[in-house]
């Protein structure tokens, strides 16, 4: 029964955590161990990544008391990294790991093996478990490991309250001491800020004034479309696909209940479609005529299908549709496509809300971008923020929306992560709305990205103009991230079939891009540490030599 439910309704079975800390793993035992290159990219990356922190995030999706033992979380995350770093299919990832000893070291195996780490179909369940928020949380762990984000406090909320009360008392005591010494006028709980709060209370304001920490850092914002790998849609082709699918469903239904297949004129419909599709240049009248023909054929098929279902229901009280879950989704999408196309044909228009462009992926929508190469793109719209080279997927939507609404949410998320707002937000002119400007002024954020007039530039000093120019040009960095994702990691060809798995695929691509930033920063920080050590040694040698020459200098 459980297997039937899993297959029928795609229910994920509960899985129990099966994981051993990476600090307790044994060495990679293999006869070729002494020949493993320590400079290999997979060996270096395996030694740098904070596996325990990443796997804790994955284990939140599993059960600790029920279900079959899970696959090791290190294997899951490492396999995802290999997949998107090398742009491999699910099958190719498993085969590549089975053949490569360095990749087996990277996924956490203790010795070389020719067995598969798990079946390639497990990637579908992994993508259903890990969503956008999980990959963003993993990126935050990388940023903490790199020293960009502050470490999370381990104390409880009660301890924090006690600590907060103690700090307030300490600050009040310091103010009292300064007042007694005559250094500053005494104002309880924060000096001038408390005075402002007292004045606000006198004006009848309920919220007390609280001092916010100084803003730091810069954040770039932009949006793009991650294209789904679907056939380029047109109305006639979409209707023809729906007609073919309904013909297939009619055959399944008639074969299951031994019924005579009704006449649907499928050969005539196929011939008319091919005659239209072979024409190189199609006029408006030809397109409208072909669309009307396919609408009529599809209407007949849907009518025949409903008649067969009604007839079988009357003869059999325990009637059940002999369709799989995928067939039911397709039938639902075909009915919506027919209703939308009929409405557009009758109204003689090409626009309609929630327009379906793919029967097999009905959640995909056309998004107008106005680009020179592609005016319309078919996929999800991604609003991202770039912070210290790391990409966070702030919003993913399958419907077209105005990305200017992402600014305030991204700034609040920045405040949650760092404890303060960014000093600069670099974004193009679409983000420079009145609401966003007001929000930035209230939180002392400088919104940069819109080209200033000559009058505004004349009021700046040369140093300020240079700084503004550098910040304005840094907006190209986020465009470079889009180019890296689409050209290097196939962000413009998402091959997942469901909305949630497609979102997980997109978030995994950004996560792998962040891993490369983390690996590069770790590499540079190591050489910076070596440079500092050499400088200290050099200064000590120089100090020692000077003391030998002039003992009375007293250098230390």
């Amino acid at each position: 029964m459980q297997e039937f439910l899993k297959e029928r309704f795609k229910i994920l079975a509960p899985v129990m955590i099966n994981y051993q800390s990476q600090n307790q793993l044994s060495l990679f035992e293999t006869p070729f161990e002494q020949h493993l290159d320590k400079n290999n990219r997979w060996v270096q990356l395996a030694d740098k990544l904070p596996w325990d922190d990443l796997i804790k995030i994955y284990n939140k999706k599993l059960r600790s008391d029920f279900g079959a033992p899970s696959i090791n979380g290190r294997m899951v995350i490492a396999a995802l990294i290999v997949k998107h770093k090398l742009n491999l299919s699910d099958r190719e990832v498993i085969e590549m790991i089975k053949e490569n000893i360095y990749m087996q070291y990277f996924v956490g195996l203790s010795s070389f093996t020719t067995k598969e780490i798990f079946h390639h179909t497990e990637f579908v369940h992994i993508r259903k478990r890990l969503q956008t928020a999980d990959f963003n949380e993993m990126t935050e762990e990388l940023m903490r490991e790199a020293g960009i984000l502050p470490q999370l406090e381990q104390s409880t909320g009660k301890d924090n309250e006690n600590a907060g009360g103690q700090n307030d008392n300490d600050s009040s005591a310091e103010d009292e001491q300064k007042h007694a010494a005559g250094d500053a006028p005494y104002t309880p709980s924060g000096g001038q800020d408390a005075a402002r709060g007292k004045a606000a209370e006198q004006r009848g304001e309920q919220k007390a004034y609280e001092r916010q920490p100084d803003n730091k850092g810069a954040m770039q914002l932009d949006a793009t479309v991650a294209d789904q790998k679907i056939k380029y849609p047109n109305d006639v082709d979409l209707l023809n696909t729906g007609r073919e699918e309904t013909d297939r469903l009619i055959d399944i239904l008639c074969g299951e209940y031994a019924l005579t297949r009704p006449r649907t004129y499928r050969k005539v419909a196929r011939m008319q479609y091919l005659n239209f599709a072979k024409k190189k240049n199609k006029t408006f009248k030809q397109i409208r005529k072909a669309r009307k023909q396919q609408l009529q054929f599809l209407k007949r098929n849907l009518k025949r299908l409903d008649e067969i279902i009604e007839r079988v229901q009357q003869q059999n009280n325990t009637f059940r549709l002999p369709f799989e879950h995928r067939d039911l989704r397709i039938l639902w999408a075909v009915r919506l496509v027919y209703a939308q196309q009929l409405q557009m044909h009758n109204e003689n228009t090409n626009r309609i809300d929630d327009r379906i462009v793919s029967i097999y992926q009905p959640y995909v929508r056309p998004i107008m971008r106005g680009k020179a190469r592609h005016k319309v793109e078919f996929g999800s719209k991604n609003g991202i923020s770039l912070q210290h080279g790391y990409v966070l997927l702030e919003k993913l939507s399958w419907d077209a929306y105005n990305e200017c609404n992402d600014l305030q949410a991204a700034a609040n998320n920045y405040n949650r992560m760092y404890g303060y707002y960014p000093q600069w937000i670099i974004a193009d002119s679409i983000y420079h709305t009145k609401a966003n400007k007001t929000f930035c002024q209230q939180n002392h954020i400088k919104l940069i990205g819109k080209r200033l007039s000559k009058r505004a530039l004349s009021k700046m000093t040369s140093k300020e103009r240079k700084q503004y120019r550098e910040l304005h040009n840094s907006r190209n960095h986020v465009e470079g991230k889009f180019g890296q994702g689409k050209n290097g990691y196939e962000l413009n060809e998402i091959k997942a079939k469901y909305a949630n798995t497609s979102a997980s695929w997109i978030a995994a691509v950004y996560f792998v891009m962040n891993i490369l930033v983390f690996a590069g920063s770790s590499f540079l920080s190591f050489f910076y540490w070596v440079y500092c050590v050499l400088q200290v040694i050099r200064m000590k040698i120089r100090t020692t030599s000077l003391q030998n020459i002039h003992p009375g200098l007293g250098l230390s």
Side-chain angles (χ1 to χ4, degrees):
M1 186 65 180
Q2 186 177 4
E3 294 296 330
F4 170 75
L5 291 175
K6 284 174 59 180
E7 181 65 24
R8 187 72 176 174
F9 299 103
K10 308 297 181 182
I11 297 177
L12 285 176
V15 180
M16 188 172 61
I17 296 174
N18 178 24
Y19 172 65
Q20 181 182 3
S21 175
Q22 303 306 299
N23 298 327
Q24 302 175 3
L25 289 178
S26 59
L27 295 176
F28 194 73
E29 300 172 358
T30 172
F32 307 104
E33 180 182 358
Q34 62 273 19
H35 299 294
L36 282 177
D37 186 7
K38 299 300 181 183
N39 296 323
N40 182 271
R41 55 177 177 169
W42 300 110
V43 175
Q44 290 184 342
L45 192 59
D47 297 338
K48 291 176 183 176
L49 288 177
W51 291 109
D52 288 345
D53 296 330
L54 300 179
I55 294 165
K56 284 179 183 178
I57 299 172
Y58 175 74
N59 287 343
K60 292 178 183 178
K61 303 294 182 178
L62 308 179
R63 295 283 299 269
S64 59
D65 57 345
F66 182 72
S70 68
I71 303 169
N72 192 322
R74 162 117 182 225
M75 292 184 182
V76 170
I77 298 175
L80 282 176
I81 295 173
V82 172
K83 171 182 173 57
H84 294 289
K85 194 174 186 301
L86 302 181
N87 296 328
L88 301 175
S89 65
D90 295 347
R91 293 176 183 268
E92 291 173 341
V93 172
I94 304 302
E95 292 297 325
M96 183 70 72
I97 294 175
K98 188 170 68 173
E99 298 167 357
N100 194 313
I101 189 173
Y102 288 102
M103 290 185 183
Q104 293 191 14
Y105 178 86
F106 178 69
V107 301
L109 293 176
S110 60
S111 61
F112 181 78
T113 179
T114 57
K115 297 181 180 179
E116 296 181 349
I117 56 174
F118 54 82
H119 198 261
H120 65 273
T121 56
E122 188 66 25
F123 276 108
V124 179
H125 303 294
I126 294 170
R127 283 192 283 267
K128 288 180 180 179
R129 292 191 186 103
L130 291 175
Q131 291 300 306
T132 302
D134 303 316
F135 285 106
N136 282 345
E137 192 175 353
M138 290 183 185
T139 297
E140 292 180 15
E141 292 297 335
L142 295 180
M143 297 171 72
R144 288 191 184 93
E145 186 70 18
I148 297 173
L149 285 181
Q151 296 293 332
L152 293 175
E153 297 181 0
Q154 300 296 330
S155 58
T156 61
K158 187 175 181 180
D159 296 336
N160 291 336
E161 291 178 0
N162 296 334
Q166 186 177 0
N167 292 336
D168 293 339
N169 296 333
D170 294 342
S171 62
S172 301
E174 291 178 0
D175 293 335
E176 291 178 0
Q177 293 176 1
K178 290 182 180 179
H179 174 64
D183 294 339
Y186 173 63
T187 52
S189 68
Q192 184 180 2
D193 298 321
R196 294 180 185 176
K198 189 174 182 180
E201 291 177 0
Q202 292 176 356
R203 290 195 304 268
E205 296 180 3
Q206 304 251 348
K207 189 175 180 181
Y209 178 83
E210 297 180 358
R211 187 185 174 200
Q212 298 294 334
D214 295 334
N215 296 357
K216 299 178 184 177
M219 178 175 65
Q220 292 94 6
L221 291 178
D222 208 345
T224 189
V225 174
D227 303 274
Q228 291 289 119
K229 192 173 179 59
I230 62 174
K231 184 179 180 181
Y232 190 86
N234 62 71
D235 296 339
V236 179
D237 183 64
L238 200 62
L239 291 169
N240 178 70
T241 303
R243 180 194 58 79
E244 292 177 347
E245 289 294 339
T246 51
D247 281 332
R248 182 178 64 85
L249 296 179
I250 289 174
D251 293 343
I252 293 175
L253 196 58
C254 293
E256 179 72 17
Y257 292 98
L259 301 175
T260 303
R261 191 179 68 188
R263 180 176 297 177
T264 57
Y265 299 95
R266 62 183 68 185
K267 292 184 179 180
V268 177
R270 178 65 177 172
M271 185 181 302
Q272 291 182 358
Y273 169 73
L274 291 178
N275 291 335
F276 169 78
K278 290 177 181 178
K279 295 178 181 179
K280 186 175 182 181
N281 297 320
K282 305 174 182 66
T283 63
F284 175 77
K285 290 184 177 180
Q286 291 173 344
I287 295 174
R288 184 171 175 82
K289 180 181 177 181
R291 183 168 61 182
K292 182 178 180 180
Q293 291 172 347
Q294 296 300 320
L295 278 170
Q296 292 173 345
F297 287 121
L298 182 56
K299 179 182 178 180
R300 180 185 289 108
N301 283 9
L302 292 175
K303 184 178 180 180
R304 295 290 183 269
L305 191 61
D306 293 337
E307 290 175 353
I308 295 173
I309 293 175
E310 184 178 357
R311 188 195 315 165
V312 175
Q313 282 180 340
Q314 294 176 356
Q315 297 176 357
N316 190 355
N317 295 329
T318 60
F319 170 73
R320 183 182 65 86
L321 285 174
F323 299 146
E324 298 180 355
H325 178 71
R326 177 177 178 272
D327 296 333
L328 294 175
R329 291 176 66 251
I330 290 175
L331 180 58
W332 168 80
V334 168
R335 292 184 185 275
L336 285 181
V337 166
Y338 172 75
Q340 290 181 353
Q341 294 294 330
L342 181 63
Q343 181 180 348
M344 288 190 293
H345 181 78
N346 294 335
E347 297 177 359
N348 198 13
T349 181
N350 290 324
R351 297 179 63 88
I352 195 170
D353 295 337
D354 298 328
R355 183 172 181 175
I356 295 178
V357 295
S358 174
I359 290 176
Y360 305 107
Q361 299 182 39
Y363 53 87
V364 179
R365 298 286 180 268
I367 298 178
M368 301 291 296
R369 295 293 293 165
K371 303 294 184 181
R373 186 176 178 183
H374 301 292
K375 293 184 179 180
V376 183
E377 295 176 302
F378 306 96
S380 63
K381 193 168 185 179
N382 309 150
I384 72 165
S385 65
L386 184 63
Q387 309 166 15
H388 303 282
Y390 292 85
V391 177
L392 288 176
L393 186 56
E394 301 289 348
K395 185 174 181 179
L396 188 147
S397 174
W398 294 102
D399 296 320
Y401 72 97
N402 194 333
E403 56 264 30
C404 69
N405 299 323
D406 296 344
L407 186 141
Q408 298 183 24
N412 291 329
N413 188 35
Y414 188 99
N415 186 19
R416 176 192 63 82
M417 293 166 56
Y418 295 89
Y420 47 80
Y421 283 103
Q423 187 175 0
W424 299 285
I425 292 181
I426 300 98
D428 54 13
S429 58
I430 197 172
Y431 292 90
H432 292 241
T433 61
K434 185 176 180 180
N436 288 341
K437 289 180 180 179
T438 303
F439 173 82
C440 291
Q441 289 176 359
Q442 291 175 352
N443 296 283
H444 311 289
I445 302 172
K446 297 178 182 178
L447 186 57
I448 297 176
K450 196 172 182 179
R451 187 175 296 277
L452 296 180
S453 62
K454 293 183 179 180
R455 182 179 179 182
L457 290 173
S458 63
K459 296 180 181 179
M460 295 182 178
T461 63
S462 60
K463 184 177 180 180
E464 291 174 345
R465 283 196 297 268
K466 182 179 178 181
Q467 184 185 28
Y468 184 87
R469 192 181 303 112
E470 291 177 353
L471 290 170
H472 183 273
N473 294 339
S474 66
R475 195 176 67 86
N476 297 330
H477 298 167
V478 69
E479 297 289 349
K481 286 294 180 180
F482 292 150
Q484 179 186 5
K486 293 186 177 182
N487 297 327
Y489 299 95
E490 295 185 351
L491 190 61
N492 56 346
E493 290 186 0
I494 307 302
K495 301 181 180 67
K497 301 300 182 183
Y498 296 95
N500 56 348
T501 55
S502 298
S504 177
W505 188 302
I506 295 167
V509 170
Y510 288 121
F511 174 65
V512 170
M513 292 165 57
N514 293 330
I515 284 179
L516 299 182
V517 176
F518 173 79
S521 63
S522 302
F523 182 76
L524 294 176
S525 62
F526 170 75
F527 278 96
Y528 179 74
W529 174 80
V530 172
Y531 171 77
C532 293
V533 171
L534 292 177
Q535 290 296 323
V536 171
I537 295 174
R538 180 169 170 244
M539 290 299 297
K540 284 188 173 293
I541 294 174
R542 185 166 177 262
T543 302
T544 305
S545 61
L546 287 174
Q547 284 180 341
N548 293 334
I549 297 173
H550 301 285
L553 289 177
L555 299 173
S556 59

